[in-house]
């Protein structure tokens, strides 16, 4: 990872250097960093400006993301447009965004100080901090996506679907025993995908993709020799038993880090296949999944092939930036499609509570309407069918839909069709179209 900006100024840092003197000041600070002294001692001003603009755009983009999420959050919460729970969720996402900026600087700072490196080590940011930065970014994105999908689900069930039908759908998904193991499987696959992406950050931080550029072999076998994988060099204890030997090799030994990533990626590949065919072969699960959920699972299956191809290309071609970036984006795409699939089988509890209150209120109004209609029928000689309203009484029907707009009794549709046919015989096609529209 190339570093160029050696200070963290959340507000004033948004203004780039504009004069030769300002550029020279930035360049002189960079020349004091270990990266410049050990890797780029002969860098020119034009070369520095190129890497400076790359990092400045990244930081500026992060500021834009934060502002474009904070401003709408403040507006909708202040105007009372969201529920209390959603307001808390949005506030939490804003905290994650702010934390991401702090963690990003914490990561960059690890590449600017000699004391954080081992003696004569290659200057680089800490792989631990890089993985934390990536993990927090993915968590923030997933939180945004999940809350957005929740809003769409609530709108579909609370506004675009009759209440009784929506409640039946809610209860079916919420209480179905067949979906419980499928939910656990789906959550496990998403967790495995997230962990695999995190291990990719460890590989990137150690430049572990630059060794063993072959697949499936690593040297003469499927894995390097055990003495290379569990090297005492990475332990902080000079003598056995070395309690940190395992985890330090997993996080600091490039050979073991790459092997771990291969194992996790292969496991994710087959886990997604198993999940897809589970959903296809289980008649009980297949019957409960919506068309959108099935499409999301199919998309996930396609994406895992794309991601595998990108990963192999990145490894075999010695980590070109274009393939490495696409491979990282592929991991996010996998998590996105999996999260969309999950939103189709998890129902927010709030939806059921709202639907029950709505139907209960509708039932009370219908009973009152029946009582009122019974007393007025003897004097008016007119009535209404079911729970529909007459005269704009504000009665709602059994689905909880406001029927106050139905001021008069409407004849059955068959009568309108009959009238249209007679009109056709008597007064031509124009009367038919008019009757059908009516």
């Amino acid at each position: 990872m190339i570093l160029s900006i050696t200070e963290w100024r959340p507000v004033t840092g948004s203004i780039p250097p504009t004069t030769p003197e300002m550029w020279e000041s930035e360049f002189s600070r960079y020349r004091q960093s270990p990266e410049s002294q050990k890797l780029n001692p002969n860098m020119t001003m034009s070369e520095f400006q190129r890497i400076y603009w790359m990092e400045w755009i990244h930081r500026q983009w992060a500021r834009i993301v934060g502002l474009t999420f904070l401003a709408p959050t403040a507006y909708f919460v202040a105007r009372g447009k969201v529920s209390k729970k959603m307001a808390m969720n949005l506030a939490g996402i804003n905290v994650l965004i702010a934390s991401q900026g702090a963690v990003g600087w914490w990561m960059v700072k690890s590449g600017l100080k000699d004391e954080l490196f081992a003696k004569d080590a290659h200057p680089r940011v800490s792989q631990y901090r890089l993985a934390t930065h990536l993990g927090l970014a993915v968590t923030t994105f997933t939180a945004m996506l999940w809350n957005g999908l929740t809003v769409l689900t609530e709108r579909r069930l609370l506004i675009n679907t009759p209440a009784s039908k929506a409640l039946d759908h809610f209860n079916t998904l919420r209480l179905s025993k067949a979906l419980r193991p499928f939910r656990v499987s789906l959550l496990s696959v998403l967790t495995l995908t997230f962990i695999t992406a995190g291990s990719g950050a460890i590989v990137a931080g150690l430049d572990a993709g630059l060794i063993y550029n072959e697949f499936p072999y690593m040297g003469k076998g499927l894995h390097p020799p055990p003495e290379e994988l569990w090297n005492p060099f990475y332990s902080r204890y000079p003598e056995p038993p070395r309690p940190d030997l395992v985890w330090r090799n997993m996080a600091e030994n490039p050979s073991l880090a790459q092997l771990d990533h291969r194992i996790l990626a292969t496991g994710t590949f087959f886990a997604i296949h198993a999940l897809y065919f589970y959903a296809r072969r289980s008649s009980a699960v297949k019957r409960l999944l919506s068309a959108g959920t099935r499409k999301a699972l199919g998309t996930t299956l396609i994406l895992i092939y794309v991601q595998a191809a990108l990963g192999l290309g990145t490894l075999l071609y010695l980590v070109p930036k274009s393939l490495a970036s696409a491979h990282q984006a592929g991991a996010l795409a996998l998590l996105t499609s999996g999260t969309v699939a999950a939103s189709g089988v998890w129902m927010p509890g709030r939806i059921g509570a709202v639907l029950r209150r709505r139907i209960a209120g509708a039932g009370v109004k219908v009973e009152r309407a029946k009582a009122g209609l019974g007393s007025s029928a003897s004097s008016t000689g007119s009535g209404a069918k079911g729970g529909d309203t007459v005269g704009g009484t504000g009665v709602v029907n059994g689905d909880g839909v406001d029927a106050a707009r139905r001021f008069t009794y409407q004849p059955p549709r068959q009568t309108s069709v009959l009238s249209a046919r007679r009109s056709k015989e008597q007064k031509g096609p124009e009367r038919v179209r008019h009757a059908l529209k009516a």
Side-chain angles (χ1 to χ4, degrees), residues 226-241:
E227 57 271 18
E228 181 181 339
L229 296 177
W230 311 108
N231 195 333
F233 171 80
Y234 297 99
S235 174
R236 298 296 186 268
Y237 295 86
E239 300 295 334

Side-chain angles (χ1 to χ4, degrees), residues 212-224 258 262 315:
Y212 293 115
N213 302 104
E214 54 189 340
F215 189 87
Y217 294 102
M218 297 181 73
K220 295 182 178 180
L222 294 175
H223 60 80
Q258 190 191 122
R262 290 185 181 210
L315 178 68

